Amino acid sequence: AQTVTQSQPEMSVQEAETVTLSCTYDTSESNYYLFWYKQPPSRQMILVIRQEAYKQQNATENRFSVNFQKAAKSFSLKISDSQLGDTAMYFCAFWRHNDMRFGAGTRLTVKP
Amino acid sequence: EPEVTQTPSHQVTQMGQEVILRCVPISNHLYFYWYRQILGQKVEFLVSFYNNEISEKSEIFDDQFSVERPDGSNFTLKIRSTKLEDSAMYFCASGRARNEQFFGPGTRLTVL
């Protein structure tokens, strides 16, 4: 079974600075997808970024980028130029065979 | 921009009662999912649905749960006899392909 580990329950960052959230996973599969989802206080789940495991190039979406290390089974999220609206829970997720597994989440607070 | 919608936003029920949670996926999507999130815990996969049948389900999705796509637009989750531990946020998600999932805003289920 795939497991997803987020070792940082809480993090904080000053507005406009950069923060990196870590995620590791365990799988014997070679083809899979990895996601970062944001969950603001409204509790809606919002897709931040997606990475296909067969792609070596790290995904980027505006201020959000990932550092995908397949051999190390690591998938960290970097948020540049942090904004107050980035304050939320962030969940890392692993998808394979129609089954999405989530990590426990990291609560990120952006401070003014 | 099209969105997944869910109704009701909050459902309160008595233990032992049946509840039906409703979702309207994005119209051209083919893959449908239900997840739940007990307060303060990680998001957990319940079931995936494609081509009018269940494609994957987790150990949580026991005989008390069922899903249906009754009319080509709605996607429902039924809990036959609710238990206190069914209290959670229930998220519906849909995607055009198996590697994408757009989440709805969730239904908060409270079982008394």
Side-chain angles (χ1 to χ4, degrees), chain A:
Chain A
Q2 291 83 13
T3 58
V4 179
T5 302
Q6 293 179 250
S7 58
Q8 306 150 314
E10 293 189 20
M11 293 191 72
S12 63
V13 63
Q14 290 295 132
E15 195 176 5
E17 294 190 349
T18 295
V19 64
T20 299
L21 310 183
S22 65
C23 173
T24 58
Y25 56 94
D26 183 30
T27 185
S28 57
E29 304 279 353
S30 58
N31 288 328
Y32 48 86
Y33 294 84
L34 296 162
F35 302 84
W36 278 97
Y37 281 91
K38 170 184 177 181
Q39 188 179 47
S42 66
R43 296 195 71 189
Q44 186 158 2
M45 294 288 283
I46 302 165
L47 177 65
V48 174
I49 201 164
R50 176 177 73 187
Q51 174 82 41
E52 290 94 336
Y54 61 85
K55 288 187 177 178
Q56 292 185 338
Q57 187 172 7
N58 289 323
T60 299
E61 287 287 340
N62 301 314
R63 298 184 294 107
F64 299 89
S65 62
V66 298
N67 183 7
F68 173 48
Q69 302 288 328
K70 191 173 184 179
K73 298 178 184 175
S74 169
F75 182 61
S76 60
L77 174 70
K78 185 170 82 171
I79 306 174
S80 304
D81 186 24
S82 298
Q83 300 175 358
L84 296 178
D86 295 334
T87 292
M89 281 289 286
Y90 287 81
F91 291 97
C92 176
F94 173 104
W95 180 93
R96 171 72 178 160
H97 292 307
N98 267 342
D99 182 355
M100 184 89 90
R101 301 280 170 162
F102 287 84
T106 295
R107 183 178 303 280
L108 176 68
T109 302
V110 180
K111 298 179 178 178

Side-chain angles (χ1 to χ4, degrees), chain B residues 66-90:
Chain B
S66 62
V67 289
E68 208 174 35
R69 189 157 160 77
D71 55 13
S73 62
N74 291 285
F75 180 51
T76 62
L77 174 70
K78 182 193 291 186
I79 310 174
R80 287 191 183 82
S81 178
T82 50
K83 302 187 283 285
L84 295 176
E85 54 265 37
D86 293 328
S87 293
M89 195 77 158
Y90 287 81

Side-chain angles (χ1 to χ4, degrees), chain B residues 51-62:
Chain B
N51 201 25
N52 285 321
E53 61 182 21
I54 291 173
S55 45
E56 293 277 346
K57 60 182 181 179
S58 73
E59 58 275 9
I60 302 168
F61 194 87
D62 61 21

